[in-house]
Amino acid sequence: MSLPAGSSPSQPSRPARSARSARSEQSDRPEPVPGRIDPLERSAPLAPAPTRGGQVPRLDGPWTHRDVAANGARFHIAEAGDGPLVLLLHGFPQFWWTWRHQLTALAEAGFRAVAMDLRGVGGSDRTPRGYDPGNLALDVTGVIRSLGEPDAAVVGHDLGGYLAWTAAAMRPKLVRRLVVCSMPHPRRWRTSMLTDLRQSRAGGYIWGFQRPWVPERQLVADDAAMVGRLIRDWTGPGPLDEEAIDVYREAMQIPSTAHCAVEPYRWMVRSMARPDGLQFNRRMKRPVRVPTLQMHGSLDPAVGTRNVAGSGEYVEAPYRWRLFDGLGHFPHEEDPVAFSTELVNWLQDPEPDR
């Protein structure tokens, strides 16, 4: 598979397979969480992160690839630049490559930009458990520690935004600043899915994920055609390049990826009335006390604007809301220049206003 000839360095020409590098620095053991299995005592991965000859695309570009150990698993990262750490978290149904434009923009602006593959996706380990948001947030903060940094500006889109909110509430000392795109605060998400009929319909795919086995088969059928349909349906008037969508389709076909990709959504719904879900919802009452930037596309059909806009009530720090007119669910890819400019300017602002 190749991207169009003449693509810029921030849009690599084709996927390149590379051998897995040795594990980098070991992370600190995360603090124990009541009722959760110690991540260092979990069983072996459901499927190891693919290496040379596997199917994961580690695409070439002005970045480097390596693996880091954190929270009992290995995580693939792509990094570029030097300076304060900015950690980028992808959403569904994508992987680290969704941040290709921002990796270069942040590096050029003097930041150390790192895009990680979440647990179970891309080049990261596929473990048999650990897909609740509390543990996935520990993955995020564990990677920050493994990179040798005291903290990071955490940027998350979609599911990555949900985890960014969670990490900022659970481990505030490790999150210097928070940027969330296309995702409300977890408590707002829960309320809107249960009480807003329009949002519940828009999130119909999440209800569909609650079925056993069927979603996994649907996601990979016909060369992951469903991934392409979801991305096209959620994009604004300016569609993403078809060759880029093909990259996401290929990544979803890595064995066990489809199962791991839907597991967080299964927990988010099935736990709503369970003790662990109620406990998580209570924990998310903790206010975010770091400067927060929230960005959203005005035409996002997957997450309604009105359900996102009220998330600022959970932030007790400078909070900025940025709405991109005419963009859908993927503003960082639909208009990467506008998105990156807003992101860099806000990160460089020493005193972001409310």
Side-chain angles (χ1 to χ4, degrees), residues 133-189:
N135 192 65
L136 293 174
L138 290 179
D139 292 345
V140 173
T141 55
V143 166
I144 294 172
R145 288 172 170 174
S146 290
L147 292 172
E149 299 285 355
D151 54 35
V154 179
V155 182
H157 170 258
D158 188 76
L159 177 62
Y162 192 100
L163 302 182
W165 282 116
T166 305
M170 291 177 55
R171 295 290 185 270
K173 293 183 179 179
L174 293 175
V175 180
R176 181 177 71 252
R177 290 198 183 192
L178 175 65
V179 182
V180 180
C181 180
S182 307
M183 177 56 65
H185 186 275
R187 288 180 62 87
R188 291 281 300 176
W189 181 89

Side-chain angles (χ1 to χ4, degrees), residues 74 107 116 185 212 228-229 231 254 287:
R74 289 178 296 172
M116 67 177 283
H185 186 275
R229 288 196 300 271
I231 293 177
I254 301 169

Side-chain angles (χ1 to χ4, degrees), residues 212-222 224-226 258-259 266:
W213 304 114
V214 175
E216 288 90 335
R217 293 172 180 172
Q218 290 178 329
L219 279 171
V220 300
D222 299 324
M226 182 179 178
H259 173 72
R266 284 174 171 156

